[in-house]
Amino acid sequence: MEVSATLRHARLSPQKARLVADQLRGLSVERAIETLSFAKPKAASILKKVLESAIANAEHNEGADIDDLLVGIVNVDQGPTFRRYRARARGRAGKITKRTSHITITVTDERR
């Protein structure tokens, strides 16, 4: 059984989110939440919420036992980019890109 939760348009760079997401794959959900609770980056709190949502989906929709769940797939894809401009010297404009992410976490009860 695989159950997932998705967060779209998170105001977070995918590159920075992947650094934290790479630490979660294959862990038990209890260990993953513990890891995210003590991690400093902004991505940790966002990933923790998505993981808790996936756990709640598994428990409520599938009747899964939380103690048996593992973090299966963690995808962090690039979402739309906000483009902003800032005034620069000599009448020019500098482009500022504000990146967003689509985060999907799948929990499973099977060992791979």
Side-chain angles (χ1 to χ4, degrees):
M1 169 214 46
E2 290 187 349
V3 182
S4 64
T6 302
L7 172 65
R8 301 193 65 212
H9 307 289
R11 254 310 271 123
L12 175 72
S13 163
Q15 183 178 13
K16 293 177 183 175
R18 285 184 193 119
L19 292 172
V20 179
D22 290 340
Q23 299 174 358
L24 301 180
R25 288 184 189 94
L27 295 179
S28 67
V29 291
E30 181 181 325
R31 181 80 174 126
I33 288 177
E34 185 179 305
T35 302
L36 292 172
S37 296
F38 294 104
K40 280 197 170 224
K42 174 185 174 181
S45 62
I46 295 172
L47 284 166
K48 183 179 174 192
K49 281 188 174 184
V50 178
L51 178 60
E52 288 172 343
S53 177
I55 294 167
N57 289 344
E59 184 181 21
H60 183 266
N61 299 341
E62 303 292 331
D65 184 18
I66 296 174
D67 298 330
D68 297 337
L69 293 177
L70 302 169
V71 178
I73 301 168
V74 183
N75 282 338
V76 180
D77 300 320
Q78 184 167 342
T81 302
F82 299 138
R83 290 178 181 84
R84 303 289 183 259
Y85 295 92
R86 184 178 187 138
R88 306 306 292 168
R90 306 172 91 190
R92 298 181 185 175
K95 185 166 35 170
I96 298 171
T97 56
K98 295 178 180 268
R99 302 187 185 278
T100 61
S101 303
H102 297 323
I103 300 169
T104 303
I105 296 180
T106 303
V107 294
T108 182
D109 59 357
E110 303 156 5
R111 291 226 177 250
R112 295 186 184 226

